[in-house]
Amino acid sequence: LIASTDVFQQAATEGIVLLKNKNNALPLSSGTKVAVYGNHSTSFVEALKRAGYIVEENTQNADIALITISPEGFELVSEAQKMIQAICRTYQSAKKKVIVILNIDGTIETSSWKNLPYGILLAWQDGQEVSNAITDIISGKANPSGKLPISFPTKYMDIPSSIRNTENTVYTEDI
């Protein structure tokens, strides 16, 4: 069972894509005080603690913010966009960095907010070991070596399948 867990973690780690790393926001040093926002699991907080990070309950004491996003659909709901904007504004006004971690299964709209955080990690939905995999990446223990298998469209209408004719679908894309 432990060998299987190691394989799952290795696969998850190798699939993570670094989309943005402004001013070398990553990796983070052990002992960094982090605040975690968004839809994260307790296993993510536990993985951060095991890696030597201090997870701050009082977010004003944190050195950096980690925001996990797991949207349903192409566009972020307005609450998620407002959260990213507010956290980036608050942390950056204090000269602190923000990293967004995307836990998604396809493309999402990023053009409205991608310039706000210092870093963006694309973790996909890598299963039970994704928390440990993300921690290995943000600590520098592993390099984010994943590649994008798809392009991220600017808006939903840029996706060819978004234009639907209910009576007759014509596929214009080709190999």
Side-chain angles (χ1 to χ4, degrees), residues 33-48:
K33 296 176 185 175
V34 300
V36 183
Y37 298 89
N39 11 10
H40 60 278
S41 63
T42 54
S43 65
F44 182 49
V45 172
E46 292 167 3
L48 289 168

Side-chain angles (χ1 to χ4, degrees), residues 15-80:
I16 294 176
V17 181
L18 180 64
L19 296 176
K20 182 178 181 182
N21 194 21
K22 180 180 173 184
N23 296 341
N24 296 316
L26 294 171
L28 304 178
S29 302
S30 181
T32 300
K33 296 176 185 175
V34 300
V36 183
Y37 298 89
N39 11 10
H40 60 278
S41 63
T42 54
S43 65
F44 182 49
V45 172
E46 292 167 3
L48 289 168
K49 289 178 180 177
R50 278 193 307 274
Y53 296 104
I54 301 162
V55 179
E56 284 289 338
E57 297 297 324
N58 181 353
T59 57
Q60 293 177 343
N61 294 335
D63 301 318
I64 193 163
L66 302 175
I67 305 172
T68 58
I69 301 291
S70 300
E72 293 181 17
F74 180 74
E75 296 188 12
L76 292 180
V77 293
S78 64
E79 293 84 20

Side-chain angles (χ1 to χ4, degrees), residues 70-137:
S70 300
E72 293 181 17
F74 180 74
E75 296 188 12
L76 292 180
V77 293
S78 64
E79 293 84 20
Q81 283 198 9
K82 288 176 186 175
M83 178 183 63
I84 292 171
Q85 292 168 353
I87 293 168
C88 287
R89 186 174 39 255
T90 301
Y91 275 78
Q92 291 169 7
S93 69
K95 307 287 187 234
K96 298 178 180 182
K97 297 175 182 173
V98 176
I99 307 296
V100 173
I101 301 164
L102 299 173
N103 188 20
I104 58 177
D105 61 0
T107 60
I108 65 166
E109 183 277 324
T110 60
S111 60
S112 66
W113 59 268
K114 68 181 177 184
N115 293 327
L116 299 175
Y118 274 74
I120 304 173
L121 276 177
L122 176 55
W124 302 108
Q125 290 183 331
D126 285 333
Q128 68 186 30
E129 290 300 313
V130 71
S131 297
N132 291 318
I134 292 168
T135 304
D136 283 352
I137 297 293

